[in-house]
Amino acid sequence: MPKSKEIVTSSSGSSSSSDSEENEKVQEEEEERKRKATAAQPPAVKKRKSGESSSRSNPAPPRRGKDEDMFQIGKLRYVRVSRFRAKVLIDLREFYSDNEGNTKPGRKGIALNLEQWTQLKTLVPEIDAAIFKY
């Protein structure tokens, strides 16, 4: 934010009414800038950890677009099939509930294109075998 303007008075000692009017205008402009700056800042929102449950018992289900299918695989985890820029994506993502109870996609997740999805499907038996070792 720029520093506030300092008002320089003339050294002649004669102050006119126009000088005081300019001072008032500058002060009003500064106050207006401060009000706009504080109004533009969003209120601080406390983020929930991924393991914490919401205070709401039933969050609203995620919205579905016209070219989108969703499948729940956990409490707030979904597999979503959608189209983005003429490409089909398989999105495995963790969702969260906002303050109004709407469920929104979170940052934790991955979107796979069809080639990656096909590769993952072919690796499932090997992944299962590795899991059963433990």
Side-chain angles (χ1 to χ4, degrees):
M1 187 175 274
K3 294 183 179 180
S4 62
K5 297 179 184 177
E6 293 184 22
I7 301 169
V8 180
T9 58
S10 62
S11 60
S12 64
S14 63
S15 63
S16 66
S17 63
S18 64
D19 286 341
S20 63
E21 289 175 7
E22 287 179 30
N23 292 345
E24 289 176 15
K25 286 181 184 179
V26 170
Q27 288 176 351
E28 288 174 5
E29 288 173 1
E30 285 182 34
E31 290 174 5
E32 185 67 26
R33 264 188 268 139
K34 287 178 184 177
R35 272 188 253 130
K36 286 181 182 179
T38 55
Q41 295 174 349
V45 177
K46 184 178 179 183
K47 293 183 179 180
R48 257 193 318 257
K49 295 180 181 176
S50 62
E52 288 183 11
S53 63
S54 171
S55 61
R56 294 169 175 76
S57 59
N58 290 329
R63 294 182 189 171
R64 293 185 182 176
K66 56 185 173 186
D67 294 335
E68 193 173 280
D69 291 316
M70 292 188 68
F71 308 94
Q72 188 169 9
I73 58 172
K75 186 175 180 181
L76 286 173
R77 292 188 176 137
Y78 292 86
V79 175
R80 184 168 60 170
V81 181
S82 61
R83 182 179 303 271
F84 180 72
R85 295 188 181 179
K87 293 182 181 180
V88 176
L89 295 175
I90 296 85
D91 189 29
L92 301 143
R93 191 151 307 273
E94 191 171 272
F95 282 67
Y96 69 97
S97 295
D98 66 3
N99 293 337
E100 289 138 18
N102 300 325
T103 306
K104 295 184 176 183
R107 291 173 43 183
K108 294 181 181 178
I110 185 170
L112 305 173
N113 61 29
L114 284 177
E115 182 182 331
Q116 293 167 330
W117 174 251
T118 305
Q119 180 67 27
L120 179 63
K121 289 192 308 184
T122 61
L123 293 173
V124 167
E126 294 174 41
I127 295 169
D128 281 340
I131 291 171
F132 291 123
K133 288 180 184 177
Y134 298 97

